Amino acid sequence: MRCDETKPLMSAYFAQELTFREREELDEHLRGCRFCQEELEAYQRTWAALGAWEDVPPRPGLREELLARIAGEAVPAAPSRRERWSVRPLLWPALLAAALSVAASLFLPYERIIELCRLGLRSSGLELPEGAIYFLAGTLYGLLPLLLVGPLMGRGTPGRSPFQGLSTGCLFVLAIFPYALVQCSTFGVGLALSLIGGMAAGAIGGSLGGFWLASKGLALSGR
Amino acid sequence: MSSRDEELMLDLKRGDLEAFTILYERYQRRLYNFILRYVEDPSTAEDLFQETFLKVYRLREAYDQKALFSTWLYTIARNLCWDELKSPRRRQAAPSQPPRLPSSEPADPSPGPLGALEAKEREALVRKAIASLPDVDREVLILSRYEGLRYEEIAKVLGTSAQAVKARAHRALTALKEHLKQHGGLA
């Protein structure tokens, strides 16, 4: 080891950061080099001199002030990854939306809405195929309930994200699917699929829109 | 009550505030002195010290148990200190405002008033020498010499390599050696 190679090792020497091999090589060089011995002693005196700046204890009241701030802030815990991706808090808004959709279909059966859609489109001069009319009717059964429960979606769902809105829509579709299938059994496969597809599309749109409204509302309220 | 820092953080995540106070007691002195040496102003140091522990509390859910708590704690504190030093307010105040530092008790009061005075002078000289270092070298020196952190750990705190830490530590100690030699600080 040359003299210029020993210098970078000297500060690491006092921080006890030398490898066994580095330490051995340095010691071996020091045994035969008076100049580097003196240099190491200078580093040693510097290292020791730094000890003159001693620790001071923190002010005694700091602990109490800190704990009071924590108690006063009542900081909500940051959501964990599991919480952030959990669909459990979204289950009941989805079920509520499905219940609303079922209730709506009891007052206004699918056939009635389909008829109203057909009349509405005709009066505005639009002639759409039957499948599209069924799709449109289904959209209303998905869109409106999820828009209505939108403000509820933000509650109890930490780290709100569009993913949660989308999940609510998917859960709604899963919940309503058996009921819709039974109700559409007289329509024929193509029209039934159009209506249920429309319902799913409306649910996705409604859940994202509802969730966005919920987020806006919560942001405005400062939460 | 579990005793490892990382286990205490797990307890804190579960809502155990007692775990937080144990961690506070364990690190308060080291952390306060680290921040004080970094920002060189007691009132700023107190603010940043409280902010650091507040962040520990607020970010408790984000803490990854695989990481050493001490590394995480020093990372938070160092980032707060760094932001403080780089803030425009601080930069404006720096040239006209000499660092206000608390006078610390000498380690051994027995040498008498003269000895205490000499100790204070030595301390002032060391503070001045450390303050003259570039920030990137100074933080490495403080973490290594006063906090006793390993180079690997310092590298994690600063987000750099252990090799870079080694180089900065050497540069810092060499500069201090020259500074103290010039000002008669080396016995």
Side-chain angles (χ1 to χ4, degrees), chain A residues 7 11 16-17 22 39 43 45 47 49-51 53-56 59 62-63 65 69 73 78, chain B residues 25 33 37 46 50-51 54 58 61 104-105 107 126-127 145-146 150-151 166 170 174 177 187:
Chain A
K7 270 198 171 184
S11 48
Q16 299 183 341
E17 291 281 353
E22 285 174 330
E39 193 67 7
Y43 274 104
R45 286 199 299 276
W47 189 260
L50 296 178
W53 191 353
E54 291 177 356
D55 278 4
V56 288
R59 186 163 54 77
L62 273 178
R63 181 176 174 271
E65 285 172 26
R69 279 181 76 180
E73 280 192 11
Chain B
E25 293 297 336
N33 281 282
R37 286 185 177 110
E46 280 190 7
Q50 286 208 355
E51 276 306 314
L54 269 178
R58 286 173 183 162
E61 293 292 342
S104 59
E105 296 285 324
V126 167
R127 282 175 176 176
R145 173 62 179 87
Y146 294 103
R150 313 285 307 179
Y151 286 173
K166 193 175 181 179
H170 176 64
T174 305
K177 177 169 73 75

Side-chain angles (χ1 to χ4, degrees), chain B:
Chain B
M1 174 62 70
S2 47
S3 58
R4 274 184 67 235
D5 296 342
E6 293 71 29
E7 285 164 2
L8 287 168
M9 276 306 291
L10 191 65
D11 291 339
L12 180 60
K13 278 187 186 186
R14 292 188 194 118
D16 182 3
L17 205 58
E18 180 66 21
F20 178 78
T21 56
I22 294 173
L23 285 169
Y24 178 90
E25 293 297 336
R26 204 172 273 182
Y27 282 94
Q28 56 160 336
R29 195 177 172 107
R30 284 175 65 186
L31 190 76
Y32 176 73
N33 281 282
F34 164 66
I35 295 172
L36 182 61
R37 286 185 177 110
Y38 206 119
V39 298
E40 302 177 68
D41 175 65
S43 93
T44 309
E46 280 190 7
D47 287 347
L48 296 179
F49 173 73
Q50 286 208 355
E51 276 306 314
T52 303
F53 274 109
L54 269 178
K55 274 205 161 187
V56 167
Y57 181 75
R58 286 173 183 162
L59 300 176
R60 62 192 184 278
E61 293 292 342
Y63 169 71
D64 177 7
Q65 262 192 292
K66 280 174 263 173
L68 272 179
F69 171 76
S70 58
T71 308
W72 188 61
L73 181 71
Y74 278 111
T75 306
I76 293 173
R78 183 264 173 187
N79 289 342
L80 286 170
C81 290
W82 184 265
D83 291 346
E84 171 65 25
L85 287 193
K86 302 299 164 198
S87 71
R89 175 173 50 84
R90 173 95 179 190
R91 278 163 171 256
Q92 278 170 3
S96 56
Q97 188 182 321
R100 293 185 294 111
L101 293 160
S103 56
S104 59
E105 296 285 324
D108 178 11
S110 59
L114 199 62
L117 194 66
E118 280 176 3
K120 279 195 178 218
E121 278 175 5
R122 278 200 302 273
E123 184 178 319
L125 189 62
V126 167
R127 282 175 176 176
K128 202 174 166 187
I130 291 176
S132 72
L133 295 174
D135 291 339
V136 287
D137 295 348
R138 198 162 55 87
E139 61 185 3
V140 167
L141 182 98
I142 294 171
L143 287 167
S144 168
R145 173 62 179 87
Y146 294 103
E147 303 308 314
L149 264 59
R150 313 285 307 179
Y151 286 173
E152 279 290 340
E153 206 176 348
I154 297 173
K156 280 182 189 155
V157 169
L158 304 182
T160 185
S161 67
Q163 209 53 36
V165 169
K166 193 175 181 179
R168 287 179 199 175
H170 176 64
R171 206 163 52 205
L173 200 65
T174 305
L176 287 177
K177 177 169 73 75
E178 295 307 320
H179 189 285
L180 293 174
K181 203 187 276 180
Q182 276 177 20
H183 295 84
L186 289 185

